[in-house]
Amino acid sequence: HSLKAGAVSAVSGVRHPILLSKKVLENSPHVFLSGKGAIDFAKHLGMEFQPMKWFITKQRKKQLIEAKARQSVLLDHSEKQTDKFGTVGAVARDKMGHLAAATSTGGMTNKQYGRIGDSPIIGAGTYANDQSCAVSCTGHGEYFIRGVVAYDVSCLMEYKNMDLASACKLVVHDKLVKLGGKGGLIAVGKDGSIALPFNTKGMYRAWVKEGESPQVAID
């Protein structure tokens, strides 16, 4: 309802970057902190840190070694269902009708040092506006940045009076595809409607409404 936002990128050791992003929203005059500045901000607020080895898993290390051997960059949309990893997003509408979105990611595997994806960029990978919808994206971040995807969905609803499903379909299956981007998004509209479109082979997703059982899907 206030369009407040917080984001961090290029942080190491912070156990919960998404909580640090919330602290930026609540305790900083800024929207986006990165690198050492974000880390120092986290330490000042007493955020939880873990040693670097805590973040290393056998699966991700194996993927990194394989990607380096092939000199390739991997998205978090592996064709193997057992190898899914990467972006985690959430969108919500509360009983007052207020909307919120959050997105956290480790980015692409074997990405260029210093690369920043769409997840922390407000309007690209994450956006929420009570007048339209809340959106969290996952996929090839460069294209989501270029398409300002999360904000684009909101704009289509707010300025062209499109419903959530139609706006998401146009952005994910038409505009994003024309740019060459792969991925998807989760979104909830101001009326409580839900959309979870993707143009890849699969996307892990789940949703729940008050009084209903939680639903999950992959393909």
Side-chain angles (χ1 to χ4, degrees):
H1 67 284
S2 66
L3 296 184
K4 283 187 176 181
V8 298
S9 69
V11 295
S12 297
V14 179
R15 180 168 182 175
H16 300 296
I18 203 72
L19 295 183
L20 178 55
S21 297
K22 187 179 180 183
K23 291 295 184 181
V24 174
L25 182 157
E26 296 172 338
N27 301 101
S28 168
H30 309 300
V31 170
F32 198 162
L33 298 179
S34 67
K36 187 177 183 300
I39 294 172
D40 288 346
F41 181 73
K43 290 177 178 178
H44 175 72
L45 293 177
M47 301 292 291
E48 183 179 356
F49 279 74
Q50 291 289 344
M52 294 308 297
K53 64 180 182 180
W54 186 89
F55 297 93
I56 298 173
T57 66
K58 290 182 179 179
Q59 180 188 8
R60 292 308 302 271
K61 187 174 182 179
K62 179 174 178 287
Q63 289 165 338
L64 177 59
I65 293 172
E66 292 175 349
K68 284 185 174 181
R70 295 197 301 266
Q71 295 185 333
S72 63
V73 178
L74 300 179
L75 286 173
D76 58 358
H77 289 68
S78 168
E79 292 184 8
K80 297 180 182 179
Q81 291 188 354
T82 57
D83 286 349
K84 299 291 185 181
F85 59 91
T87 307
V88 178
V91 294
R93 177 184 184 274
D94 68 15
K95 63 182 180 180
M96 300 297 293
H98 297 316
L99 300 174
T103 313
S104 182
T105 184
M108 296 176 170
T109 298
N110 200 32
K111 60 185 178 289
Q112 168 78 35
Y113 179 76
R115 180 259 185 186
I116 295 174
D118 63 308
S119 294
I121 299 177
I122 307 304
T126 311
Y127 189 71
N129 186 334
D130 277 6
Q131 302 305 310
S132 53
C133 60
V135 180
S136 178
C137 303
T138 178
H140 197 154
E142 279 68 17
Y143 295 97
F144 282 78
I145 294 171
R146 288 165 56 186
V148 200
V149 167
Y151 184 61
D152 199 18
V153 172
S154 174
C155 282
L156 290 171
M157 295 181 67
E158 190 171 2
Y159 302 131
K160 297 195 71 173
N161 294 316
M162 294 180 69
D163 61 77
L164 179 67
S166 298
C168 289
K169 182 178 180 180
L170 177 60
V171 172
V172 174
H173 293 287
D174 185 10
K175 300 178 76 172
L176 188 58
V177 171
K178 287 177 179 176
L179 283 175
K182 293 182 178 181
L185 59 83
I186 57 173
V188 59
K190 63 180 181 180
D191 60 354
S193 57
I194 297 172
L196 307 101
F198 55 95
N199 60 33
T200 52
K201 289 188 176 182
M203 183 178 76
Y204 281 24
R205 58 203 186 279
W207 62 99
V208 63
K209 291 186 177 182
E210 185 178 10
E212 299 180 9
S213 299
Q215 304 292 316
V216 296
I218 299 174
D219 297 325

